[in-house]
Each structure stands twice: as C-alpha cells, then as structure tokens.
Amino acid sequence: MKILGIETSADEASAAIVEDGYKLLSNAIGSSIDITREYGGIVPEIVARSHLETIIPIIKQSFRDADLSWDDIDAIAVTQGPGLIGSLLIGVMTAKTLALAKNKPLFPVNHVEAHVYANFITETKLPGYSLNGTTPAFPVLALIVSGGHTQLVLFKDHHDYQMLGQTRDDAVGEAYDKVAKITGLPYPGGPSVSEAAESGDPDAVKLPISKLDNPYDFSFSGLKTAVLRAAQAQVGQDYTFPSGSLPELLSKAQVADLCASFQKTAIKTLVDATAKAVNQYHPASLVVGGGVAANTELRRQLQANLRLKPIYNDIKLCTDNAAMIASLAYFLSKQSKPHDTTTLSPLPNWEM
Ligand code: KG4
Ligand code: ZN
C-alpha cells in the first residue's frame, strides 16, 4: 500500500510517499527556514503563506522523486494537529481537495505520534539517506523531543500507548532556540547551540535541573532563565539588563561555555528520565524522534547511559517531514476506517 503523506504543521511543508509504512519512496521538504531565520523565529502568517505557494510543487516533486503517478497511490495521509492553525489549514485543505479529486481514502494523523513512526522507516533507494534498518520491537519506549514537544511515551502496540510524562512548560527544542537568541546564535537553535557547545566547557556554568513530582515530566523554562541570568552576570549586569542586548557583550568563549553548560544540563535531564523509564518498564526497544533527536551529544549520552541501544533515524526523518505521516497512516489504516473527506478540519491543540 502506497500512501502520500502531507505535512505542514510548522515551518516546513513536506510531501512524501511511503510503501507499507516502512519503505521510503520519496520525501520532499520545502522549508521556509530562510524566512524564519530572517525574523529570528516562526511568524505564523508568513509561514502559512509560504506553504500555500509551495505545497503543490512539493507534492509534484514527491511524485517525481518516487517515479510514480496518482494511479499508484492508495491513500492520502495528512497532519491534522497539533501545530499552527494557519499552517495546518494549508495541508488539510490540500489533502481533502486531492482526496476528493483523485478519489482516495484520507487518513488524518497526530504529528507528535508520527515522530515516533519515523523510526519504522527502514528501507529506501533514495540517495543521501542513512536509515537505522531495525524495525522497533514492542513494547517501544519513545522519547519525543522537538521544538513543540518533550515527552516519554510507552507503546504496547501500534497506536496503543500510555503517556508517561511530558514537559510542563517549554519543549527542549524551544529551550535550544531561546538559548540561541540569548547568545546571538542563528535560528534554529539546536544545530547552532550544539555547534558552539563543542568548543565550550560543559562545567563552566552551574545550571539547575528541575525536579517534578512525576519523574517522567520535564521543565525547561527555569533552565532557559538560568542561562539568561548567567549571561547577564558574565557581562557584569543584573537581571534588569535586556536579553536582546547581551549578544554584543558576550565573548565567543563565553557563548561556547554557556551553550556547553546548557546542553549538558538539558541532555542529562532527558537521559536520566529515559534511563529511569527503561528500568521501570523494560521496553523491548527505545526510539528517539523529533528535531532534537538529530543532536549528536544526546545520541552519545543515551548510548553511554542506557542498557538498551537507542534507535534513531536519518536526521531528515527526525526533523519535520511527511514520510513519518505516511508511515503512521499505514498502521492506522490497518485498524480504522478513513476519515470522511469533506468534514476534516485541523486540530491545532490535539494532544497525543
Ligand atoms: O521536530 P521539529 O523539526 O519540529 C517540531 O515539531 O517542533 O523540531 C524542531 C526543533 C527546533 O527547536 C530545533 O532547534 C531542534 O528541533 N533541533 C535540534 C537539532 N536540530 C534541530 N536540537 C538540538 N540539536 C540539534 N542538532
Ligand atoms: Zn515535529
């Protein structure tokens, strides 16, 4: 079964074709990241307008890359939520229109759950992909770490899961993005902060780890504020000094130390909670999904501290992409009927 996936929940518009949930036939991604970088973050209206212009060319590209036509497609999958309402609308309206016009069944999926399914994609002939090649065995413990989400979820089977814990405030990727802003590094913060961290001392600045009642819950807002206070102190200013003026005063070495100390603390928080869940629930596999799963230090620390080898996929499948949408839809199509094509609408706050 070949499914066309469409994803437009945040700042990337993407279309992909995946066969039987595991075989990647194409994964076209048109990012509005240049616009986002120009503004230092996502401006929802501008991103939605960009998706409107690019989504049809991207879908066409996904067919060209897979060397397929509409006759080969068995179903359409689309991100219904969570995400930015304007961005989601473009994908949902496009998917509904195509499902009606081409007479294909339509499967809406949850974007955050789909991040887990990026790890079920194990085969491709596409150039430039290095896939994990191992189908995750159930029960699967999933660490989902992105710009919008940080959660630990235990999957007993496909689509049958228990939420162990999640962030109470900022997502870990969001914390990376905010630390980038404080230190004057470019958006998105994940890659730029981790690059700066390489030349810094992770023990230079002592930062707090939040302790919550549920050991699987997270909080990153206090960590971000602690980085801000440390940066203000380093340039000899108090907490009243505006964060926007800090980058000019911070030296390259100070930025590197702040980034390294932040990254060490953020990753320790994730790894400690994951290790605890592995010991308590004895999953058969551990998968890591979401944009922060691309982080090499996180991968290294998970590998070093867990008694289960973590599974993560090619970076292009960790950050937002439509292949994971098409993969999850395949497994859903085994369990449930397609959605009515005319009544589907976005769910911007849809929690897993
Ligand atoms: O999954 P994603 O593409 O979009 C959301 O669903 O949020 O994740 C984007 C987030 C951003 O916050 C970005 O800073 C972070 O993932 N990110 C990283 C890395 N690459 C992207 N964080 C840490 N290290 C990275 N290498
Ligand atoms: Zn995402």
Side-chain angles (χ1 to χ4, degrees):
M1 183 175 183
K2 295 188 185 75
I3 299 184
L4 169 71
I6 298 173
E7 150 66 35
T8 62
S9 67
D11 58 346
E12 337 259 5
S14 172
I17 301 172
V18 177
E19 187 172 356
D20 296 339
Y22 76 94
K23 200 170 185 182
L24 183 66
L25 303 178
S26 66
N27 186 33
I29 303 175
S31 174
S32 63
I33 198 135
D34 290 344
I35 319 173
T36 305
R37 193 169 280 151
E38 197 180 313
Y39 288 90
I42 296 179
V43 182
E45 287 76 9
I46 295 176
V47 166
R49 197 170 299 223
S50 158
H51 291 343
L52 185 60
E53 284 169 13
T54 56
I55 191 65
I56 297 296
I58 289 167
I59 291 171
K60 286 186 176 158
Q61 184 69 45
S62 74
F63 277 96
R64 270 198 303 275
D65 292 348
D67 198 18
L68 295 173
S69 70
W70 276 106
D71 291 341
D72 303 307
I73 298 298
D74 301 294
I76 298 175
V78 67
T79 304
Q80 189 181 10
L84 301 165
I85 178 70
S87 293
L88 288 168
L89 261 173
I90 309 299
V92 168
M93 295 308 284
T94 306
K96 282 167 74 170
T97 309
L98 290 172
L100 270 173
K102 306 291 182 186
N103 196 23
K104 307 286 179 189
L106 179 61
F107 291 93
V109 312
N110 181 293
H111 174 93
V112 186
E113 185 182 3
H115 269 301
V116 175
Y117 279 79
N119 292 293
F120 283 86
I121 297 170
T122 52
E123 231 183 88
T124 191
K125 289 203 180 81
L126 287 177
Y129 279 83
S130 138
L131 300 186
N132 73 64
T134 318
T135 304
F138 290 104
V140 173
L141 177 67
L143 173 66
I144 309 169
V145 278
S146 74
H149 300 271
T150 307
Q151 51 201 47
L152 273 166
V153 190
L154 187 66
F155 281 73
K156 282 179 228 122
D157 202 342
H158 287 296
H159 198 47
D160 176 8
Y161 57 78
Q162 176 193 354
M163 179 74 63
L164 301 182
Q166 55 191 316
T167 182
R168 295 278 143 217
D169 40 59
D170 293 353
V172 62
E174 194 178 351
Y176 267 95
D177 296 336
K178 286 177 175 169
V179 168
K181 254 199 161 153
I182 293 167
T183 51
L185 296 170
Y187 180 91
S192 57
V193 168
S194 51
E195 199 194 319
E198 276 170 34
S199 58
D201 172 8
D203 298 313
V205 187
K206 190 132 184 53
L207 297 166
I209 290 191
S210 297
K211 287 268 174 288
L212 299 148
D213 290 344
N214 175 358
Y216 305 120
D217 275 349
F218 302 95
S219 165
F220 290 102
S221 164
L223 175 58
K224 162 212 69 191
T225 308
V227 171
L228 172 61
R229 296 289 175 256
Q232 287 163 328
Q234 294 215 346
V235 299
Q237 299 285 343
D238 70 7
Y239 68 93
T240 56
F241 191 72
S243 59
S245 310
L246 279 166
E248 300 154 36
L249 301 183
L250 287 166
S251 72
K252 232 180 146 186
Q254 284 172 321
V255 168
D257 283 350
L258 285 165
C259 289
S261 303
F262 159 76
Q263 173 157 274
K264 183 187 170 183
T265 312
I267 288 176
K268 183 167 168 33
T269 309
L270 297 172
V271 173
D272 285 355
T274 308
K276 199 173 173 64
V278 168
N279 290 334
Q280 180 171 354
Y281 295 99
H282 306 287
S285 54
L286 166 71
V287 306
V288 194
V292 185
N295 187 284
T296 30
E297 187 56 23
L298 174 63
R299 293 180 173 202
R300 233 195 320 261
Q301 293 300 332
L302 285 171
Q303 183 91 30
N305 289 287
L306 301 185
R307 52 181 179 77
L308 203 61
K309 193 171 179 287
I311 295 175
Y312 29 69
N313 226 334
D314 190 285
I315 286 175
K316 294 183 281 304
L317 297 176
C318 290
T319 49
D320 288 350
N321 66 86
M324 65 186 196
I325 305 301
S327 173
L328 170 54
Y330 168 76
F331 295 103
L332 289 179
S333 76
K334 308 264 136 211
Q335 307 178 352
S336 51
K337 289 202 165 58
H339 199 283
D340 181 275
T341 310
T342 52
T343 59
L344 186 71
S345 53
L347 297 172
N349 301 314
W350 184 13
E351 296 219 8
M352 259 183 87

